[in-house]
PDB file of all heavy atoms in Angstrom:
ATOM      1  N   GLN D 826       2.721  -1.804  25.254  1.00  0.00           N
ATOM      2  CA  GLN D 826       2.815  -2.276  23.889  1.00  0.00           C
ATOM      3  C   GLN D 826       4.227  -2.690  23.542  1.00  0.00           C
ATOM      4  O   GLN D 826       4.444  -3.527  22.683  1.00  0.00           O
ATOM      5  CB  GLN D 826       2.348  -1.168  22.933  1.00  0.00           C
ATOM      6  CG  GLN D 826       0.854  -0.917  23.086  1.00  0.00           C
ATOM      7  CD  GLN D 826       0.466   0.458  22.634  1.00  0.00           C
ATOM      8  OE1 GLN D 826       1.311   1.296  22.348  1.00  0.00           O
ATOM      9  NE2 GLN D 826      -0.827   0.693  22.591  1.00  0.00           N
ATOM     10  N   ARG D 827       5.194  -2.082  24.186  1.00  0.00           N
ATOM     11  CA  ARG D 827       6.580  -2.424  23.885  1.00  0.00           C
ATOM     12  C   ARG D 827       7.015  -3.677  24.603  1.00  0.00           C
ATOM     13  O   ARG D 827       7.794  -4.474  24.105  1.00  0.00           O
ATOM     14  CB  ARG D 827       7.461  -1.235  24.263  1.00  0.00           C
ATOM     15  CG  ARG D 827       8.892  -1.369  23.794  1.00  0.00           C
ATOM     16  CD  ARG D 827       9.623  -0.046  23.923  1.00  0.00           C
ATOM     17  NE  ARG D 827       9.625   0.472  25.259  1.00  0.00           N
ATOM     18  CZ  ARG D 827       8.989   1.560  25.634  1.00  0.00           C
ATOM     19  NH1 ARG D 827       8.279   2.240  24.766  1.00  0.00           N
ATOM     20  NH2 ARG D 827       9.017   1.983  26.872  1.00  0.00           N
ATOM     21  N   THR D 838      13.306  -7.906  25.162  1.00  0.00           N
ATOM     22  CA  THR D 838      13.368  -7.106  23.952  1.00  0.00           C
ATOM     23  C   THR D 838      14.818  -6.976  23.546  1.00  0.00           C
ATOM     24  O   THR D 838      15.738  -7.195  24.330  1.00  0.00           O
ATOM     25  CB  THR D 838      12.795  -5.689  24.183  1.00  0.00           C
ATOM     26  OG1 THR D 838      13.569  -5.029  25.167  1.00  0.00           O
ATOM     27  CG2 THR D 838      11.349  -5.759  24.635  1.00  0.00           C
ATOM     28  N   LEU D 845      14.348  -0.174  18.000  1.00  0.00           N
ATOM     29  CA  LEU D 845      13.743  -1.128  18.926  1.00  0.00           C
ATOM     30  C   LEU D 845      13.082  -2.207  18.109  1.00  0.00           C
ATOM     31  O   LEU D 845      12.251  -1.945  17.274  1.00  0.00           O
ATOM     32  CB  LEU D 845      12.694  -0.428  19.790  1.00  0.00           C
ATOM     33  CG  LEU D 845      11.975  -1.329  20.788  1.00  0.00           C
ATOM     34  CD1 LEU D 845      12.945  -1.829  21.837  1.00  0.00           C
ATOM     35  CD2 LEU D 845      10.831  -0.588  21.443  1.00  0.00           C
ATOM     36  N   LYS D 846      13.470  -3.446  18.338  1.00  0.00           N
ATOM     37  CA  LYS D 846      12.894  -4.567  17.592  1.00  0.00           C
ATOM     38  C   LYS D 846      12.304  -5.542  18.577  1.00  0.00           C
ATOM     39  O   LYS D 846      13.006  -6.134  19.373  1.00  0.00           O
ATOM     40  CB  LYS D 846      13.971  -5.234  16.736  1.00  0.00           C
ATOM     41  CG  LYS D 846      13.507  -6.479  16.036  1.00  0.00           C
ATOM     42  CD  LYS D 846      14.639  -6.993  15.181  1.00  0.00           C
ATOM     43  CE  LYS D 846      14.482  -8.432  14.799  1.00  0.00           C
ATOM     44  NZ  LYS D 846      14.111  -9.333  15.794  1.00  0.00           N
ATOM     45  N   LEU D 847      11.022  -5.707  18.590  1.00  0.00           N
ATOM     46  CA  LEU D 847      10.374  -6.592  19.535  1.00  0.00           C
ATOM     47  C   LEU D 847      10.631  -8.033  19.144  1.00  0.00           C
ATOM     48  O   LEU D 847      10.440  -8.425  18.000  1.00  0.00           O
ATOM     49  CB  LEU D 847       8.870  -6.317  19.556  1.00  0.00           C
ATOM     50  CG  LEU D 847       8.470  -4.865  19.852  1.00  0.00           C
ATOM     51  CD1 LEU D 847       6.971  -4.791  19.964  1.00  0.00           C
ATOM     52  CD2 LEU D 847       9.125  -4.379  21.119  1.00  0.00           C
ATOM     53  N   GLN D 848      11.051  -8.854  20.105  1.00  0.00           N
ATOM     54  CA  GLN D 848      11.359 -10.247  19.831  1.00  0.00           C
ATOM     55  C   GLN D 848      10.164 -11.153  20.110  1.00  0.00           C
ATOM     56  O   GLN D 848      10.300 -12.279  20.539  1.00  0.00           O
ATOM     57  CB  GLN D 848      12.559 -10.687  20.688  1.00  0.00           C
ATOM     58  CG  GLN D 848      13.807  -9.898  20.419  1.00  0.00           C
ATOM     59  CD  GLN D 848      14.259 -10.014  18.974  1.00  0.00           C
ATOM     60  OE1 GLN D 848      14.129 -11.057  18.369  1.00  0.00           O
ATOM     61  NE2 GLN D 848      14.780  -8.936  18.433  1.00  0.00           N
ATOM     62  N   PHE D 849       9.000 -10.632  19.893  1.00  0.00           N
ATOM     63  CA  PHE D 849       7.785 -11.426  19.982  1.00  0.00           C
ATOM     64  C   PHE D 849       6.778 -10.771  19.064  1.00  0.00           C
ATOM     65  O   PHE D 849       6.930  -9.632  18.670  1.00  0.00           O
ATOM     66  CB  PHE D 849       7.231 -11.471  21.405  1.00  0.00           C
ATOM     67  CG  PHE D 849       6.925 -10.105  21.964  1.00  0.00           C
ATOM     68  CD1 PHE D 849       5.656  -9.570  21.846  1.00  0.00           C
ATOM     69  CD2 PHE D 849       7.924  -9.367  22.585  1.00  0.00           C
ATOM     70  CE1 PHE D 849       5.391  -8.310  22.346  1.00  0.00           C
ATOM     71  CE2 PHE D 849       7.648  -8.103  23.073  1.00  0.00           C
ATOM     72  CZ  PHE D 849       6.384  -7.581  22.956  1.00  0.00           C
ATOM     73  N   ASN D 851       3.792  -8.793  18.391  1.00  0.00           N
ATOM     74  CA  ASN D 851       3.062  -7.839  19.213  1.00  0.00           C
ATOM     75  C   ASN D 851       1.563  -7.951  18.936  1.00  0.00           C
ATOM     76  O   ASN D 851       1.069  -7.451  17.945  1.00  0.00           O
ATOM     77  CB  ASN D 851       3.549  -6.424  18.876  1.00  0.00           C
ATOM     78  CG  ASN D 851       3.013  -5.406  19.835  1.00  0.00           C
ATOM     79  OD1 ASN D 851       2.011  -5.644  20.507  1.00  0.00           O
ATOM     80  ND2 ASN D 851       3.672  -4.277  19.908  1.00  0.00           N
ATOM     81  N   THR D 895      10.570  -6.030  11.149  1.00  0.00           N
ATOM     82  CA  THR D 895       9.428  -6.773  11.672  1.00  0.00           C
ATOM     83  C   THR D 895       9.886  -7.632  12.834  1.00  0.00           C
ATOM     84  O   THR D 895      10.988  -7.483  13.342  1.00  0.00           O
ATOM     85  CB  THR D 895       8.794  -7.656  10.583  1.00  0.00           C
ATOM     86  OG1 THR D 895       9.769  -8.608  10.139  1.00  0.00           O
ATOM     87  CG2 THR D 895       8.342  -6.825   9.401  1.00  0.00           C
ATOM     88  N   SER D 896       9.041  -8.562  13.260  1.00  0.00           N
ATOM     89  CA  SER D 896       9.374  -9.430  14.376  1.00  0.00           C
ATOM     90  C   SER D 896       8.935 -10.847  14.040  1.00  0.00           C
ATOM     91  O   SER D 896       8.911 -11.237  12.885  1.00  0.00           O
ATOM     92  CB  SER D 896       8.703  -8.910  15.646  1.00  0.00           C
ATOM     93  OG  SER D 896       9.132  -9.640  16.770  1.00  0.00           O
ATOM     94  N   LEU D 897       8.548 -11.604  15.060  1.00  0.00           N
ATOM     95  CA  LEU D 897       8.207 -13.000  14.853  1.00  0.00           C
ATOM     96  C   LEU D 897       6.889 -13.156  14.104  1.00  0.00           C
ATOM     97  O   LEU D 897       6.226 -12.204  13.757  1.00  0.00           O
ATOM     98  CB  LEU D 897       8.141 -13.724  16.195  1.00  0.00           C
ATOM     99  CG  LEU D 897       9.420 -13.692  17.036  1.00  0.00           C
ATOM    100  CD1 LEU D 897       9.243 -14.528  18.284  1.00  0.00           C
ATOM    101  CD2 LEU D 897      10.617 -14.175  16.249  1.00  0.00           C
ATOM    102  N   TYR D1146       2.684  -6.362   8.762  1.00  0.00           N
ATOM    103  CA  TYR D1146       3.083  -6.639  10.150  1.00  0.00           C
ATOM    104  C   TYR D1146       2.529  -5.584  11.099  1.00  0.00           C
ATOM    105  O   TYR D1146       1.940  -5.892  12.139  1.00  0.00           O
ATOM    106  CB  TYR D1146       4.602  -6.701  10.247  1.00  0.00           C
ATOM    107  CG  TYR D1146       5.122  -6.678  11.656  1.00  0.00           C
ATOM    108  CD1 TYR D1146       4.911  -7.752  12.515  1.00  0.00           C
ATOM    109  CD2 TYR D1146       5.815  -5.572  12.151  1.00  0.00           C
ATOM    110  CE1 TYR D1146       5.369  -7.728  13.815  1.00  0.00           C
ATOM    111  CE2 TYR D1146       6.283  -5.541  13.452  1.00  0.00           C
ATOM    112  CZ  TYR D1146       6.054  -6.619  14.280  1.00  0.00           C
ATOM    113  OH  TYR D1146       6.508  -6.587  15.578  1.00  0.00           O
TER     114      TYR D1146
END
Side-chain angles (χ1 to χ4, degrees):
Q826 292 157 351
R827 189 167 58 248
T838 62
L845 179 66
K846 174 177 161 314
L847 305 185
Q848 300 300 324
F849 58 93
N851 190 339
T895 62
S896 187
L897 302 184
Y1146 167 68

